Amino acid sequence: PKPASVEEALRMNRIAETCYPAGAAPRALWAQRAQLETLLGHAEDARKLREQAERTHAHNAGDVYLLARELRARGQLSEAAETLRPTADREPGNFAVQFLMGNLSLDGYYENLGKQADAIGRYSACIALRPDFHFAYANRGLAYLRSDLFEQADADCTRAIALRPNWPDFYILRARARDGLRRYKAELEDLNSAESLGSKAVSLYFLRSLVHKKLWNDEEARRDMDRALRQTPNDEENLVARGLAHEEDGDLEGALADFTQVVQRYPRSAAGLRDQASMLSERLGRDREALAPLNRLIELYPAYARAWSARGVARSRLGLRDEALADVHKALELDPVSGRSQDQAACAYALMGGDRPADRDEAFRYLYQALRKGYSWDRLQETGNMASLRNDPRFAELVRTSKLLQTGER
């Protein structure tokens, strides 16, 4: 930030101090001032302020709330959540505390197992307290979406839109839920509504290109893809979306460049690190290079099962059998229910199972588990990770069943 902006923030912080009785300023005020002094290069002043912050005890829920917000602003999501959680548990009727706790759980989606469920509970409390607050519905809808609960996500987004019909992001969010429900025409209507309200988000054009493709509108799909690729994203979400658009359009190096830019601009970006690694490993065959972003992703978010399973598959291709198996089993431990971890475990065993019948049996065992959870059916006919299984009669039967399911035959 520019020094003048920091000086102005420091001035506002000092004004805030005067709003409290002498000696009653909250810890968050001193922590914020220490951060501002650090930005101005005043190391000694910052050190003294941090010590003062440490000596200042939270007097009430408001103090704890402000401290948690300050920690969140510094990117310390886990620390903010654990600071606020006892107060949130103790005060279920405090709307501001519950909403911030929900946001911390939503922001910490990659950091801790079960955060979506925690977010859903916190936003439900907010809705009970203030049933006409649109953001509580929208944020709970996002939590449902991340849990693959598409009907619930659709319902919450619909309520948010009813309360705030001129907010384009709500339509884009509901479009994503409707994509999960395969309600493609309704999804298209939502994306058109978002555009009519002024949105020019990369994610809008990218999603609309994909839904046009599903509806066999090839000319419109091409038009929207070109629009997505021409945009200059100004935030993490849309820069990731442009990378995905490059990938969908077959420009793998362009996609990698965008994902690399995400990681450079947003070093803690789970989506950026994940997609950078996926591009290197799954699309460009550069598995050894993919290990660096995967290692960083696991370091930042050790409970993110998808990172462990992706590293397990990459290590399988590199012949690192023991390390690969440790990774996929860690992913299964973290995520035993979605089907994704079982699918990736099947891939890892298949990649190692060329001359190992026992590994191929394990690959089929995990593949069956993934399919029973509804995962992998639409990927069976793809080439790649399952190549060693393709000549097995068990695989041929699964492919036949997959075709029947996708064509609606009985």
Side-chain angles (χ1 to χ4, degrees):
K2 295 179 180 179
S5 299
V6 179
E7 290 283 6
E8 178 62 13
L10 188 58
R11 186 179 74 84
M12 298 301 292
N13 177 279
R14 287 174 177 143
I15 291 173
E17 183 186 357
T18 67
C19 297
Y20 295 93
R27 178 177 175 177
L29 184 142
W30 306 117
Q32 182 185 74
R33 190 177 298 178
Q35 179 72 6
L36 294 170
E37 294 286 9
T38 299
L39 291 172
L40 291 170
H42 303 158
E44 182 60 20
D45 288 341
R47 183 187 65 77
K48 292 178 180 178
L49 285 162
R50 282 194 296 271
E51 290 177 354
Q52 184 166 354
E54 289 297 323
R55 292 194 303 268
T56 303
H57 299 290
H59 300 293
N60 51 46
D63 288 357
V64 177
Y65 170 84
L66 290 172
L67 178 58
R69 284 196 59 168
E70 180 63 23
L71 290 168
R72 182 194 185 198
R74 300 209 303 255
Q76 296 172 252
L77 299 180
S78 292
E79 294 88 339
E82 295 316 308
T83 295
L84 189 62
R85 187 178 305 282
T87 300
D89 291 342
R90 189 169 57 248
E91 299 199 16
N94 187 317
F95 177 87
V97 167
Q98 293 302 319
F99 191 70
L100 179 56
M101 193 69 227
N103 289 346
L104 289 168
S105 297
L106 203 59
D107 291 343
Y109 166 57
Y110 299 103
E111 292 201 39
N112 294 293
L113 194 63
K115 283 299 180 183
Q116 306 96 301
D118 191 24
I120 289 166
R122 302 298 178 179
Y123 293 130
S124 296
C126 292
I127 289 166
L129 293 166
R130 290 179 56 184
D132 292 332
F133 184 59
H134 47 279
F135 279 122
Y137 290 98
N139 288 6
R140 190 175 70 173
L142 178 55
Y144 279 134
L145 184 66
R146 288 176 172 175
S147 303
D148 292 340
L149 297 171
F150 302 117
E151 290 282 4
Q152 294 91 327
D154 184 291
D156 270 356
C157 292
T158 297
R159 180 59 178 155
I161 288 168
L163 292 166
R164 187 74 177 272
N166 62 343
W167 197 267
D169 289 351
F170 294 169
Y171 292 90
I172 296 174
L173 185 60
R174 187 170 69 175
R176 291 170 57 193
R178 291 179 168 179
D179 187 80
L181 293 167
R182 302 189 179 186
R183 298 175 185 167
Y184 299 131
K185 291 183 179 179
E187 176 187 0
L188 184 58
E189 290 173 3
D190 275 345
L191 294 170
N192 289 340
S193 295
E195 185 182 39
S196 72
L197 290 167
S199 176
K200 297 186 182 301
V202 177
S203 56
L204 184 157
Y205 294 121
F206 175 55
L207 289 171
R208 198 166 67 180
S209 174
L210 295 181
V211 76
H212 273 309
K213 191 173 181 180
K214 292 168 184 173
L215 293 170
W216 302 97
N217 302 330
D218 293 341
E219 185 176 339
E220 292 88 344
R222 182 67 260 169
R223 178 200 64 201
D224 278 332
M225 182 61 73
D226 290 341
R227 287 179 177 176
L229 295 172
R230 285 198 302 267
Q231 299 294 315
T232 301
N234 56 10
D235 59 29
E236 177 187 352
E237 178 184 356
N238 283 292
L239 187 51
V240 169
R242 193 179 68 177
L244 294 172
H246 277 299
E247 180 181 9
E248 179 70 18
D249 203 41
D251 180 8
L252 303 187
E253 291 296 341
L256 179 60
D258 272 351
F259 297 142
T260 301
Q261 188 178 349
V262 173
V263 173
Q264 290 170 346
R265 288 170 57 179
Y266 309 97
R268 295 180 63 88
S269 172
L273 289 163
R274 179 195 66 209
D275 292 339
Q276 181 188 39
S278 177
M279 183 57 53
L280 287 166
S281 179
E282 299 293 334
R283 302 303 303 275
L284 295 171
R286 291 152 59 178
D287 292 294
R288 197 164 295 281
E289 289 180 62
L291 292 180
L294 288 170
N295 290 342
R296 179 59 176 159
L297 189 55
I298 289 170
E299 178 187 352
L300 288 172
Y301 309 112
Y304 186 31
R306 189 169 171 180
W308 290 93
S309 60
R311 191 173 71 176
V313 171
R315 283 174 160 177
S316 296
R317 292 199 197 94
L318 293 169
L320 303 173
R321 178 183 173 79
D322 291 343
E323 295 91 334
L325 292 182
D327 280 349
V328 297
H329 286 289
K330 179 65 174 180
L332 289 164
E333 174 189 324
L334 290 168
D335 173 27
V337 298
S338 74
R340 182 188 296 274
S341 295
Q342 288 79 4
D343 171 81
Q344 295 291 278
C347 290
Y349 275 104
L351 287 164
M352 297 183 293
D355 57 353
R356 293 174 180 262
D359 280 350
R360 289 197 297 276
D361 288 344
E362 281 295 278
F364 275 109
R365 183 168 74 87
Y366 284 116
L367 183 56
Y368 291 146
Q369 290 180 15
L371 294 171
R372 281 197 294 270
K373 295 174 183 293
Y375 200 87
S376 299
W377 286 109
D378 58 346
R379 301 177 59 229
L380 282 174
Q381 298 178 63
E382 297 176 6
T383 58
N385 294 333
M386 301 287 186
S388 69
L389 308 181
R390 293 189 179 279
N391 293 327
D392 192 299
R394 292 173 288 183
F395 195 83
E397 179 60 24
L398 288 173
V399 171
R400 189 187 74 82
T401 303
S402 172
K403 289 179 178 178
L404 291 175
L405 288 172
Q406 292 184 64
T407 60
E409 295 176 16
R410 296 290 183 267

